[in-house]
Amino acid sequence: MSLSDENLIDLYGKMLLVRAMEEAHARLLKEERISLMGHFGTGQEAVAVGVTGPLTRNDILFGTHRGVGEFIGKGMSPRDIWLEYLGKETSLCKGKGGFHLTDRKNNIPCVPGCIGSDFSLAVGTALAAQMRKTGQVTLYFGGDGAYGQADAHPSMGMAALWKLPVVFAICNNQFCEYSYGRDVNPTEDIAPRAAGYNIPFEIVDGQDIETTCEAAERAVNHARSGKGPYVIEYKTFRMAPHFTGDEGRPEYVDPKDIEKWGKRDPLDLCRRKLSDRNILTPEKDRIMREEVRSEVEKAIEEAFAAPDPTGNDLLRDLYTQGGISHE
Ligand SMILES: Cc1ncc(C[n+]2csc(CCOP(=O)(O)OP(=O)(O)O)c2C)c(N)n1
């Protein structure tokens, strides 16, 4: 099974957009036009874009602090992200979100500051979908570090017991902040823990967009068809430092790993596939990159020009009635 030409080029475009967004973020920090730090997902684009590939807008995403991949994949626009990053009055959270992206219209409830504290929220949205029979799947997308948090286990246990429509996806980028996973995890793989809850799991290559998206498709179909939760572990590597304030401290990263994983950059791999299928020429690639870059620049300039919130705006909309929407 392989993705259609149309699907593959669409996912490539999304990965280009993710990388361009994060490169622009880095540049604006360097130029001192912004002070918002970033945790970039360079090298992990095929995981974040692939895992969200099979989701509909109606499905629910719990994403991570690392970059914009899954948010772009779920449908957030560069404009909405930059308005949020710059804390503008016209942003989705009217200046209250920052880099913890939240987008009600795309069913992205929150990114918590406390890693892994949202596992039980994902079980809650999956339970609500099951009770309301909405057909929605919840995707909980977290790092290998997040899956070491205590709340992961009762959440997986309840999801399995009640056969809830939730996919637990693990982005194993081999780091938890400043430590290699091998120094903090007793096992090399995280996903087999699912067996303890009788949840099916698989472990797949995180660099190949077809593999990442197809694994997500199997998981989402399983959850949507009423069979309960599913776990996928994506093997990838964090090419960026933990965060933008960490640039000068890469001493804990083995340069051999950077060299090895750099050879399997997900954008390069996808470009090669597209070229092998004769659907991407170097010229078309150049045009796609240019279009993506100008889309990002336009979003940034629009966000800079947007109004800032007033003191009163910051006290508005702190409580809501309703919650997750469903069609
Ligand atoms: C409960 C908690 N402990 C520590 C932190 C600080 N922290 C922020 S990101 C991060 C690393 C999390 O690792 P992982 O989930 O693997 O994601 P990655 O950063 O590798 O993408 C840590 C420890 C936090 N935000 N919350």
Side-chain angles (χ1 to χ4, degrees), residues 4-324:
S4 70
D5 290 355
E6 199 187 13
N7 202 350
L8 191 60
I9 204 146
D10 177 59
L11 294 172
Y12 177 63
K14 285 193 175 130
M15 290 199 291
L16 284 181
L17 184 54
V18 172
R19 183 137 329 154
M21 287 284 282
E22 295 180 14
E23 283 173 356
H25 188 157
R27 196 195 67 236
L28 292 175
L29 272 170
K30 210 165 174 192
E31 292 169 358
E32 298 185 358
R33 286 185 77 193
I34 61 171
S35 55
L36 182 80
M37 68 163 172
H39 302 86
F40 298 144
T42 320
Q44 304 177 196
E45 294 87 348
V47 179
V49 170
V51 75
T52 44
L55 296 183
T56 66
R57 196 178 64 81
N58 213 22
D59 291 326
I60 298 148
L61 168 71
F62 287 83
T64 78
H65 56 285
R66 186 158 301 287
V68 294
E70 63 270 30
F71 302 101
I72 295 276
K74 183 70 168 65
M76 277 191 88
S77 67
R79 183 177 174 278
D80 280 343
I81 292 172
W82 279 103
L83 284 167
E84 199 65 61
Y85 276 2
L86 299 189
K88 295 298 183 159
E89 195 246 318
T90 47
S91 69
L92 294 171
C93 297
K94 301 180 186 146
K96 302 180 194 73
F99 72 79
H100 289 166
L101 294 171
T102 298
D103 179 356
R104 194 168 173 185
K105 69 178 186 285
N106 277 301
N107 276 342
I108 301 172
C110 64
V111 175
C114 185
I115 297 272
S117 60
D118 49 353
F119 276 104
S120 50
L121 303 186
V123 171
T125 58
L127 177 61
Q130 187 188 62
M131 291 172 75
R132 292 167 166 172
K133 299 187 173 40
T134 62
Q136 290 165 295
V137 168
T138 294
L139 169 65
Y140 185 92
F141 182 55
D144 41 304
Y147 276 84
Q149 287 294 89
D151 201 21
H153 303 285
S155 299
M156 282 193 196
M158 284 171 84
L161 181 68
W162 294 338
K163 290 203 176 331
L164 298 181
V166 54
V167 172
F168 295 104
I170 307 160
C171 181
N172 189 344
N173 66 6
Q174 307 191 36
F175 287 100
C176 183
E177 214 164 47
Y178 305 114
S179 307
Y180 268 95
R182 59 178 176 249
D183 296 328
V184 290
N185 286 316
T187 54
E188 190 180 332
D189 301 325
I190 311 285
R193 294 173 198 172
Y197 302 105
N198 203 18
I199 302 178
F201 68 88
E202 53 183 296
I203 301 171
V204 299
D205 175 19
Q207 306 307 99
D208 177 345
I209 187 76
E210 280 195 286
T211 307
T212 60
C213 190
E214 284 167 4
E217 223 162 66
R218 286 189 290 278
V220 168
N221 289 343
H222 177 95
R224 210 184 299 284
S225 66
K227 293 184 187 145
Y230 199 98
V231 170
I232 319 171
E233 177 170 355
Y234 292 107
K235 298 288 193 189
T236 183
F237 192 81
R238 195 192 75 200
M239 294 298 279
H242 170 59
F243 84 118
T244 46
D246 175 29
E247 299 280 356
R249 290 194 288 145
E251 70 273 7
Y252 60 93
V253 181
D254 185 340
K256 286 202 200 87
D257 282 336
I258 298 279
E259 196 190 327
K260 177 178 143 200
W261 287 86
K263 288 183 186 147
R264 299 201 67 239
D265 178 83
L267 276 73
D268 291 345
L269 294 185
C270 186
R271 195 175 306 113
R272 238 172 278 151
K273 272 178 198 270
L274 291 166
S275 149
D276 289 347
R277 290 193 194 189
N278 291 322
I279 47 174
L280 186 72
T281 59
E283 178 57 8
K284 187 165 175 204
D285 188 34
R286 192 191 60 73
I287 293 169
M288 276 182 83
R289 284 162 183 269
E290 201 39 59
E291 283 172 356
V292 159
R293 250 194 306 270
S294 48
E295 184 183 357
V296 172
E297 289 315 310
K298 188 163 168 263
I300 291 170
E301 292 318 319
E302 270 183 40
F304 270 114
D308 289 318
T310 64
N312 277 343
D313 289 327
L314 294 176
L315 298 174
R316 210 170 286 143
D317 298 326
L318 294 181
Y319 298 96
T320 183
Q321 290 187 328
I324 292 294

